[in-house]
């Protein structure tokens, strides 16, 4: 009878020394959502590029220059004064602009948007306009074409500008106050 408890104790000791096994995952993620999202964005980018190229082709009176930052611009009024500088971080820029779609329909007029003051890189402003203002001097007027990812992106402005809408905006910098 003494042998049975010893035997059970020996089996219990041997079985408890087993190393734990890793559990297998219940489901395996393949990253398909990310791949599908990337494919959608590539198609959207290609479609917008085609629309923008068609718009530029129809604008015979303006010469649009592609920027390294992913948008196009036309220098409508250039400041010849070489002493004027482009804005730096913290400079206060007073500007006016309007926003239209690629069909030429005005979304926001200059009167609706009014003259605005912007502290360079210290305030919120959509990416394309923030980068475009850095190219300009006081007294200049540029026309910018922003693809949706440089404008209001996936959400639009939740008012008049829809989702994934490329825009055209003409901007006039009235003054630049150095900070």
């Amino acid at each position: 009878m003494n042998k049975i408890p010893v035997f059970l104790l020996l089996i219990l000791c041997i079985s408890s020394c087993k190393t734990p096994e890793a559990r297998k995952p219940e489901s395996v993620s393949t990253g398909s959502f990310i791949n599908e999202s990337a494919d959608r964005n590539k198609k959207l980018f290609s479609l917008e590029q085609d629309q923008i190229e068609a718009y530029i082709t129809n604008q015979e009176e303006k010469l649009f220059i592609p920027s390294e930052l992913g948008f196009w611009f036309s220098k409508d009024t250039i400041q010849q004064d070489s002493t004027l500088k482009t804005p730096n971080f913290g400079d206060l820029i007073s500007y006016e602009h309007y926003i239209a779609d690629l069909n030429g329909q005005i979304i926001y007029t200059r009167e609706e948007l009014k003259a605005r003051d912007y502290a360079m890189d210290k305030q919120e402003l959509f990416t394309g306009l923030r980068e475009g203002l850095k190219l300009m001097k006081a007294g200049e007027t540029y026309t910018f074409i922003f693809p949706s990812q440089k404008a209001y992106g996936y959400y639009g402005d939740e008012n008049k500008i829809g989702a994934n809408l490329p825009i055209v905006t003409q901007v006039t910098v009235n003054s630049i106050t150095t900070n």
Side-chain angles (χ1 to χ4, degrees):
M1 280 238 206
N2 267 344
K3 293 182 183 182
I4 293 176
V6 172
F7 181 68
L8 289 175
L9 187 60
L10 182 64
I11 290 176
L12 182 63
C13 285
I14 292 173
S15 66
S16 67
C17 292
K18 186 176 178 185
T19 58
E21 291 182 24
R23 293 183 292 173
K24 304 286 184 203
E26 292 182 18
S27 65
V28 177
S29 176
T30 61
S32 62
F33 173 77
I34 294 172
N35 293 336
E36 289 170 9
S37 178
D39 289 341
R40 263 192 321 272
N41 288 336
K42 287 177 185 177
K43 288 177 186 174
L44 176 64
F45 179 76
S46 177
L47 176 66
E48 286 184 12
Q49 292 294 347
D50 293 343
Q51 291 172 342
I52 290 170
E53 287 174 14
Y55 177 83
I56 290 171
T57 304
N58 292 333
Q59 299 298 313
E60 297 170 358
E61 71 278 357
K62 293 185 180 188
L63 172 66
F64 281 95
I65 303 164
S67 78
E68 296 175 359
L69 301 170
F71 59 85
W72 291 259
F73 63 95
S74 170
K75 298 178 180 182
D76 302 340
T77 305
I78 301 172
Q79 190 56 263
Q80 299 298 330
D81 185 355
S82 61
T83 62
L84 294 175
K85 304 290 182 201
T86 56
N88 293 315
F89 179 81
D91 289 351
L92 187 64
I93 302 169
S94 174
Y95 70 96
E96 298 175 18
H97 70 300
Y98 71 82
I99 298 176
D101 63 17
L102 292 177
N103 296 324
Q105 299 296 314
I106 302 292
I107 300 171
Y108 289 109
T109 64
R110 284 186 188 271
E111 291 75 29
E112 287 177 290
L113 295 175
K114 300 178 181 155
R116 296 178 181 222
D117 291 331
Y118 169 67
M120 182 56 72
D121 293 332
K122 288 187 171 185
Q123 292 176 297
E124 285 294 316
L125 195 61
F126 70 87
T127 307
L129 187 55
R130 183 174 61 240
E131 293 168 349
L133 285 171
K134 291 177 183 178
L135 303 174
M136 301 177 70
K137 298 176 185 175
E140 293 185 329
T141 300
Y142 283 20
T143 300
F144 295 98
I145 304 172
F146 298 116
S148 64
Q149 72 269 16
K150 289 289 183 180
Y152 290 92
Y154 179 74
Y155 294 105
D157 73 342
E158 298 179 354
N159 192 11
K160 292 183 176 181
I161 299 174
N164 299 319
L165 183 69
I167 62 170
V168 176
T169 182
Q170 187 179 58
V171 181
T172 302
V173 173
N174 298 325
S175 67
I176 299 173
T177 306
T178 304
N179 185 7

